[in-house]
Each structure stands twice: as C-alpha cells, then as structure tokens.
Amino acid sequence: MSIAAPGALVDELAALGPRGRRLAATSAASMFAADVSAPTPVIDPVPVVLDAEDWDTLSAGLIQRVRLLDALYADLYGPRTVLGTDVAPAAELLQDPAYLRSAIGIPSRGATHLFAVTSTVARQADGSWVVLEDSVDVPDGAGFTLELRRVLSRCAPTLYRTTELRRLHPFFDTVRTALHRRTRTDGRAGRTVVLTDGDADDPLRAFDQSWLANLLGSPVVSVGDLQTGSGPLTLRLPGVDSDPGDTVDALVRLLPSTQLDPLDLGPTPYGGVTGLVEAARCGDVEMLNPFGAGLLENPALRAALPDLCRQILHEDLQLRPAAPSSDASPGSESSRWLSSDPAGGDELVERPARLRLMVITSEDGYEVLPGGVAHTDDEAPEALKDVWVTVPETFALPEGPDGRTNGECSVPGQASGSAPESSSANASGTDLGADLGVDLGVLTAYPAMTRSIGSDLFWFGRYLERVDSTARLLRTVLDTSNDLGSERSASAGTAQAVLLGAVTDVTTTYPGFLDLDPQDPESVRSELASLLTDGGRPGSLAQSYASLAHTTRTLRDLISDDVWPVIARMRGSFHQLSSSDNRPLEQGLTDIVDGCLTLSGAVADSMPRNLGWDLTEVGRKLERTMGLLSLLRATLGHRRTRAAEARIAGAVALITESGASYRRTFHAAVQPELLLELLLHDTTLPRSIAFQLDRLNSTLDRLPEVTPSPELRAPLTALRSRIGSWQPQELLRPVPASGMAPGAPSAAAPAARGGAPTSMLEEADAAIASLRELATALENRFFQPSESTSRWGIDDV
C-alpha cells in the first residue's frame, strides 16, 4: 500500500527538482552532523506526512498503550495482582533482571508513574498500525526530532511553506508546565534535573538528551553532581563540600535503572548515587521514569499486551504488537512512503519506513509529540525522514492578542512569540492575566549550577581562548615566514627560526620545529600541517578545536542556538585544511579566527552574567595570560641583533593585536622594550597581561565563598606583585648563563636559536607556575578536577 502525499507538497517537490532535493539532503546532513558531532547520516528531505485522521488514530493508540504500561507498572511494583492471573507471563517477568525488587512500593507524586515512552511503529498495507518496540526505561528521540526538523526547514524551506503542519515547541511548553505543576512543593517551584552519563562514545544520544533537557528547561547533571544522605537529594554545588546544595525534587532519568544506586541496585560503572532508591521511597525525590521501568520492555509482556489491555483497561488494544517475521501474514507488508531514490535517480520512489514517536505526560494524562523521525526500512542504505502531522482544515483555536491562534508558529520548528515581559496589569490596575491567557501561578525556579557544569564552563573558556590564540599565532608565523623566506639576510633567518620555535614552545608540541631546519620549506610545511589537522596530537590546533566542540556540546542546554552554525563553519574550515584542494592555510586560519570572534560575541550576548559567566571568564583570562607569557618568553627571552629583534617584535605585535596601540602610544618603530611595556602594564589594552589580571581579580571577587580562600588569593596576589614590578629594560638585560636557575625548563631550546638569555626566562616561568597554581586551586575549590594538567600545560584528555 502506498501513502499519497499532499498535492501541494508533490508539486513543490517537482518544482525543487532532483538537483534541489539532492542539495537540500546534502546540506541538511552536513548541518546535522556538525551540530551533533556524529557521522554524517543520510537524510531524505521528502517527509512522511500523516493527515489529521491518521494522526488521531495513531496518537489515540499510543496514548492507550502508555496508559496500559503505566497501569502495569503500578501493579507490578505495587500489589502485583497481575502476576496471579493466567494472562501475564509471570515466569518471564520474575526472571527478568530488569524487575528491581528494591523499587517495589515507591510512591508517585502524580496521577501517572511513567513520564515518557518512545514507541517505534509501522503502518501495514491494510492501513493498520503495529508497534515494533517500546523504549520505557530510557526513552529517547525528542531532541533528535527537533534537530531534524530544524535543519530540514532551513535547507528546504519551500517544502515547509506548502503544508500547514503542527509545530513542535508548543508541545514542550505544555509538558514543561505540567512538570512544573507536578514538582512544585511547599510554595516554591520544584527543582527538576536531567540525569545523563554524557557519553562521548555516542554523540547522537548525548545530543538528544541535552536537547530534551533544554526543551524542559532543566539542567543536565551526572551522578557525580548528586548526593544524598539521610535526607533529600541535593546538587553538589561549586564550592566547599559543607554547602548543603540545592534540593532536587524530580530526576528525569536518562540512565538505565540498574546504574543509579550501588547500595540498593548493586555496583555500577558510573558509581551511582548511594541512597537514591531510599530517597525516592521516602518521597524526597521523584524518579521520571521510575526505577525498574525497563521491565515493561520484556518481550513476553509485549506479546501479552492485547489480553492484558482487556483485563486491566477493559478495552481492546488499538495498536497491536508486530507479529514475528516467521508468523507474518500476506497482508502484513509495510506501507510505502514517497521518498528520494536511494540509488541516486532523479525520480521519486516509494520506500517502507518505521516511525519513532514519543509520548510524554501532561496535565491531562499523556500527549504525543506531533512529529518524529522515520527510518527507511528496506535493503537500501537507511535514510532519516521528518514526520509531519498536518493540521485539519476545520482546526480552530482561540486567537491570541496578536491575531494568531494559540500554539501557532510562523517558523518551522520554532515556538510562537511570547507575550512581552511586562507587568500583567495595565496602567489602570486592571488584571490582564486572564484576558491574555497568562498563567500567573508559575513560580520562579532559579537556575542550578553543578560542579560538572562549572567545570565544563571553565574549560569551555580555556579551549575557546586556546583555539583563538593558536590560530592567530600560526597565521602570523605563516605570513611572516612567507616574507622572511625570500630574504637571504642573517636577521631574516634568525627571526624565522625564532618564530617557528615559538610555535613549538607555546603549543608545547615538542620536538616540533626545534628538530627541523627552518630553511627547509617541505619540513616546515609538514609540521604546520600536523599542527592544523592532527586531532590526536596534544597541543595541536585540531586537538584544541575538538576539545572546544566537545565541551560546547556538553553545555547545549546553557548556550544559545546561534553558536551551532559557528561551530559547524569552524568544523568545515578544519575539514578544508585537511583536504587536498591546495587551499591556502592562511585563509583557513583566518576563517578559524573569525569563527572564534563570532563565537565569543554569541556567548557574550546570550549568557547570563551569573556564576557560569564568571567561571567561563576565569578560564579565558587564565589561558590568555599563560599564552601571552609563553609567547613573550619564547620570542623575547633572548637578546639578538637589533634587525632580528625588530622583525620578531613586529610579529608579536601582530599576534597580540597591539600594533595600532603601539603606534598611537610611541610613534616609533617597534622595539622590544616598548612593546613589552605596552603588553605588560597597559590596563586599557584587551590583550595585555595587566588587563587580564585586572579582570581576573574582579571575577574572583564575584565567586561565591563561604569563607575566605587564601589558596585562590595568594597566587594571584603574588603574581600581580611580581608582574607589577617588572621593568622591560631589566627583563631584557642579558644575564650570564650561570645566573639562570638550575634546571629551568626549556632554557636550552631557545638558546640553540642564537642570542643571549635574559631574566625574562626565569621570571616568565615563575609567573606561569603561579597561574597554574591558581587554576588548580580553582578546580579544587569549585569543582572536582575533570581534566588533569600536565607540566607542559596541555590537558590530558
């Protein structure tokens, strides 16, 4: 049986043409892969369209199925009367390891037990729907659904203008309100968090879970962020361990039940939260979905659902389980949907597909997300398709004040505009809340900040600064080397060797350029290519970007959606750098620097100025200060000829964007002493060390402290005093080799490039050591260190 698509959609697909459809599919797949950081999928821009009648039938069946599963859970973890009947497969259920006896008798705060269920369904040739499987213990797919809708609506916008379909965001507004009402307690808004494992090995699942948390307005936490003793479940906040933390009222669980509590459920790979089952039993926290919900996925139970539905709900089951392939009848062939040709042909074809849909609890019971993801189900490579639910012609809702119907949305995948954030009373004092449909019963829930979130924000700032500074350094060194490489003078050769060596010293990618002949263009080019594209090399630009992208994904529920196109473009720039199309490296590096500037602006314009912002800023200022000190040490730590120093200092001015300020301040050719004066002590220059230390000091003053923290203040105070006393002429004065501290790191490497060592080497090393001491104290104080720092300054991840 073939499913006819709406005529307007068919006409628009024809107008788009084969080339347009292929371009939309390619663009959507690239955008999806960049945002999710998963292998590029095959995306079919031709949607699966369900009309209102089909959707009513399917959604009613899904809701009935979840009602039945909810009733079964209540009985199996309550009176267990169903086990005494001949209908339930008692032996299979009692032997199932997913049947957690420790969860028996745990109460539910709401009228329902299950929070969300994901079902995979297929339509048969006779028009009936069957259920292939249910995901009850760890439901998924909501974030995946919204992301697929978003990328396709941007890559094939004309298709979305031809059909009036139900939007996705209003559904989550309803769910979020229901969750708020369910968890509120003692006159305050309840605290709901989403528990995940942040599995980097499955980026698609991590992305989906983060998106769901974003849609629910709840923070993502790991088991290390939670603690419970003899009382309620609380968040481990950044700061001292004695802080009681924020109480958690509901836990949206996206980890298997068996991995949550090592005390009651046995050892777990993630450690778990000791006492979590007892906290749920005492009513201190509600688990959504509850413990042991995986029992409802038992295959024998699924086969018995038709009989159980008649026994428990006194209704016939509307969506029956799919028959085993060996028992399939001739009429059970799946329906076929309009699709792109997987063989690459120009004509549209028909392919069978299975639909993955999510049911979530609401104030009135359960509702089905009006959309989903379809997976083609034939011998050709699997393709992903958006699921549309059309609006019936007679569909009508009360109009809002802007003339739109409630829940209507003009942009695919986006919620309608909300009312202005002004007082709900007009000038005369009349209450407008009821007239505008504003829910005045909503209670404020203050955003949570856990230790893992704080750590991610801190390292997000560090990685962003690391990518930016490394890209600027490589770009300037490339430009300067191109100029110097054509000269035959000794000063040009010295300057080129020093700048290339500085790349190795600053990025700590030893031996790097220190073992190469700087006059050998092939060796230099090969080392540069490794720094740009080798993601497995600690300190390389590619490795720093990969860490930045990963950390950004862990903060998806905190960072604006505007950053994802930036991350995607930066990822594309790295792919082009590693390709063989002979694209100039300088152009690719400029694109990366532009991406960092855009990302910094997007974060600055969207992130609230709270503890999260302060931790990000601390990370950025620490990383920039260490980078500046390392750069100055590597380039100006030895005295050379005036001609060579002029070239080196000019390159440093370019890297630090201080050339214009230098010219306006000194009106002279670039000299190392004057440039160092500017970079050390000018508090108005955004890339000077004085500027970083001032901002770092003011940010530390805003961090929460129960008691004074000398371990934070002492390193910064000592550092500011040390750097404040530096005089450029004294720093750059040559010192005898015997005057160097014994065992000073990297002292011999710059000396091999010529020049007399200065006191800058020892002073910079001491300052960098103070910064690392401060970074370690911050991590120990506000969050457990998630990443160890090697003595070279590169995180060992």
Side-chain angles (χ1 to χ4, degrees):
M1 175 182 176
S2 301
I3 308 298
L9 176 63
V10 174
D11 293 341
E12 191 59 42
L13 286 169
L16 196 60
R19 183 176 180 276
R21 294 194 297 269
R22 284 193 288 268
L23 180 61
T26 302
S27 300
S30 298
M31 185 184 299
F32 184 89
D35 289 357
V36 179
S37 186
T40 304
V42 178
I43 293 182
D44 186 351
V46 183
V48 167
V49 182
L50 300 175
D51 61 29
E53 183 178 354
D54 284 337
W55 180 250
D56 289 343
T57 301
L58 179 56
S59 59
L62 288 171
I63 290 174
Q64 181 204 46
R65 188 178 187 85
V66 178
R67 285 173 46 227
L68 174 60
L69 293 174
D70 190 88
L72 279 170
Y73 179 89
D75 184 84
L76 290 170
Y77 286 94
R80 291 173 285 177
T81 57
V82 71
L83 295 178
T85 68
D86 296 333
V87 178
E92 289 84 352
L93 292 176
L94 292 173
Q95 294 172 7
D96 194 331
Y99 196 179
L100 305 180
R101 274 52 167 193
S102 301
I104 293 175
I106 293 180
S108 173
R109 292 183 185 175
T112 60
H113 292 78
L114 301 180
F115 173 68
V117 175
T118 301
S119 296
T120 303
V121 302
R123 188 171 183 177
Q124 303 296 89
D126 60 3
S128 63
W129 293 91
V130 296
V131 178
L132 304 177
E133 64 175 354
D134 298 304
S135 297
V136 187
D137 198 43
V138 184
D140 60 354
F144 195 3
T145 297
L146 195 63
E147 180 66 8
L148 186 62
R149 173 72 57 88
R150 186 184 72 86
V151 299
L152 279 172
S153 65
R154 292 183 176 181
C155 297
T158 56
L159 299 183
Y160 286 79
R161 289 198 292 264
T162 62
T163 306
E164 188 174 0
L165 64 150
R166 295 183 61 178
R167 311 301 178 181
L168 302 179
H169 269 288
F171 170 83
F172 289 102
D173 293 340
T174 302
V175 171
R176 190 163 53 250
T177 300
L179 188 61
H180 171 80
R181 293 186 181 279
R182 181 168 180 163
T183 58
R184 60 195 300 174
T185 177
D186 298 331
R188 66 174 178 84
R191 167 79 68 197
T192 301
V193 298
V194 178
L195 177 64
T196 74
D197 60 359
D199 188 3
D201 295 333
D202 191 349
L204 185 59
R205 183 180 67 171
F207 167 85
D208 180 76
Q209 294 175 349
S210 296
W211 240 130
L212 177 61
N214 195 343
L215 295 167
L216 296 178
S218 303
V220 173
V221 302
S222 63
V223 291
D225 296 320
L226 302 172
Q227 60 185 354
T228 183
S230 58
L233 181 70
T234 60
L235 292 174
R236 298 182 65 213
L237 303 178
V240 294
D241 292 333
S242 60
D243 194 306
D246 283 349
T247 300
V248 175
D249 299 285
L251 198 64
V252 178
R253 175 179 60 80
L254 298 180
L255 277 177
S257 299
T258 54
Q259 298 179 1
L260 294 179
D261 188 343
L263 180 63
D264 284 296
L265 305 177
T268 76
Y270 302 106
V273 183
T274 302
L276 185 57
V277 171
E278 185 63 21
R281 186 181 305 283
C282 295
D284 293 325
V285 64
E286 183 174 19
M287 300 296 298
L288 303 169
N289 278 339
F291 288 109
L295 178 65
L296 303 176
E297 300 174 10
N298 185 285
L301 180 66
R302 183 165 60 248
L305 286 180
D307 293 332
L308 289 168
C309 187
R310 283 189 289 269
Q311 176 178 317
I312 297 176
L313 300 183
H314 307 292
E315 302 170 0
D316 288 330
L317 189 64
Q318 300 176 34
L319 301 181
R320 303 182 69 83
S325 56
S326 59
D327 300 334
S329 60
S332 64
E333 181 183 353
S334 297
S335 299
R336 307 177 78 84
W337 308 83
L338 195 65
S339 306
S340 299
D341 187 353
D346 292 344
E347 299 299 325
L348 296 174
V349 298
E350 293 176 343
R351 303 180 67 184
R354 61 187 189 277
L355 281 57
R356 196 155 176 82
L357 306 171
M358 175 174 275
V359 185
I360 301 185
T361 187
S362 68
E363 290 189 84
D364 300 324
Y366 290 102
E367 290 191 25
V368 186
L369 177 65
V373 178
H375 301 254
T376 57
D377 195 13
D378 53 17
E379 295 180 354
E382 181 183 84
L384 308 179
K385 299 166 68 70
D386 192 9
V387 176
W388 289 6
V389 178
T390 61
V391 177
E393 295 181 0
T394 57
F395 183 77
L397 286 176
E399 288 191 354
D402 60 353
R404 293 181 183 173
T405 59
N406 293 337
E408 181 183 353
C409 175
S410 59
V411 180
Q414 298 294 323
S416 57
S418 57
E421 296 181 5
S422 57
S423 172
S424 61
N426 59 14
S428 62
T430 304
D431 186 4
L432 301 178
D435 296 336
L436 298 179
V438 177
D439 186 358
L440 300 181
V442 174
L443 301 177
T444 300
Y446 294 99
M449 173 64 66
T450 66
R451 294 193 173 195
S452 64
I453 293 175
S455 177
D456 288 338
L457 288 167
F458 175 76
W459 280 98
F460 169 77
R462 294 196 65 173
Y463 288 136
L464 176 57
E465 187 59 40
R466 192 174 296 178
V467 171
D468 178 69
S469 60
T470 304
R472 291 176 184 276
L473 172 62
L474 289 172
R475 183 180 61 175
T476 302
V477 170
L478 267 173
D479 288 340
T480 307
S481 295
N482 291 336
D483 292 338
L484 298 178
S486 59
E487 296 188 24
R488 302 299 179 187
S489 64
S491 62
T494 300
Q496 184 177 12
V498 169
L499 292 174
L500 291 175
V503 171
T504 299
D505 287 336
V506 174
T507 61
T508 67
T509 51
Y510 297 108
F513 289 104
L514 304 186
D515 280 359
L516 299 179
D517 180 3
Q519 302 302 319
D520 183 358
E522 290 300 323
S523 299
V524 171
R525 201 75 174 176
S526 176
E527 176 65 14
L528 285 172
S530 174
L531 292 174
L532 294 173
T533 61
D534 188 354
R537 184 178 183 183
S540 70
L541 184 60
Q543 186 265 343
S544 297
Y545 167 76
S547 300
L548 171 65
H550 170 71
T551 309
T552 306
R553 288 191 297 274
T554 65
L555 300 171
R556 180 171 288 275
D557 58 323
L558 297 177
I559 294 180
S560 167
D561 290 344
D562 292 334
V563 307
W564 306 115
V566 182
I567 292 291
R569 288 194 296 271
M570 292 175 69
R571 183 182 184 184
S573 298
F574 276 96
H575 285 169
Q576 291 178 351
L577 285 173
S578 59
S579 64
S580 57
D581 58 359
N582 295 322
R583 184 171 186 251
L585 297 179
E586 294 84 350
Q587 183 179 347
L589 288 168
T590 297
D591 292 342
I592 294 169
V593 171
D594 290 344
C596 290
L597 289 172
T598 306
L599 186 57
S600 298
V603 171
D605 283 348
S606 63
M607 184 177 287
R609 294 323 193 249
N610 53 19
L611 176 58
W613 170 264
D614 289 336
L615 291 174
T616 302
E617 280 295 285
V618 167
R620 292 197 70 177
K621 300 312 177 190
L622 278 172
E623 189 70 30
R624 182 173 289 186
T625 307
M626 283 194 282
L628 281 169
L629 287 169
S630 297
L631 176 66
L632 295 175
R633 182 190 188 283
T635 53
L636 305 180
H638 288 72
R639 294 316 302 256
R640 300 175 176 88
T641 65
R642 278 293 177 182
E645 286 186 343
R647 294 173 180 272
I648 295 169
V652 173
L654 286 175
I655 296 168
T656 58
E657 289 191 332
S658 56
S661 296
Y662 181 94
R663 290 188 292 273
R664 288 194 297 267
T665 303
F666 297 112
H667 302 284
V670 179
Q671 302 175 30
E673 292 84 357
L674 297 180
L675 178 62
L676 194 57
E677 174 71 28
L678 194 69
L679 292 176
L680 288 179
H681 303 307
D682 188 346
T683 57
T684 66
L685 187 63
R687 291 187 177 272
S688 74
I689 292 177
F691 186 92
Q692 313 312 312
L693 295 181
D694 281 353
R695 295 300 187 274
L696 190 57
N697 184 66
S698 60
T699 304
L700 287 178
D701 286 341
R702 294 195 298 268
L703 295 180
E705 295 180 275
V706 178
T707 58
S709 308
E711 68 273 16
L712 296 181
R713 300 298 172 181
L716 183 58
T717 301
L719 181 63
R720 298 186 75 185
S721 176
R722 175 184 289 273
I723 294 180
S725 66
W726 284 355
Q727 297 298 322
Q729 293 81 3
E730 296 298 323
L731 281 179
L732 298 183
R733 191 185 305 280
V735 297
S738 58
M740 295 296 298
S746 303
R753 289 165 247 159
T758 67
S759 58
M760 164 69 80
L761 299 175
E762 185 176 355
E763 289 292 327
D765 286 339
I768 292 173
S770 295
L771 286 168
R772 293 193 183 157
E773 181 184 351
L774 175 58
T776 301
L778 277 165
E779 291 196 288
N780 290 334
R781 178 77 174 178
F782 292 98
F783 33 82
Q784 290 183 348
S786 60
E787 308 183 46
S788 60
T789 304
S790 72
R791 63 190 182 93
W792 298 287
I794 296 298
D795 48 292
D796 299 323
V797 291

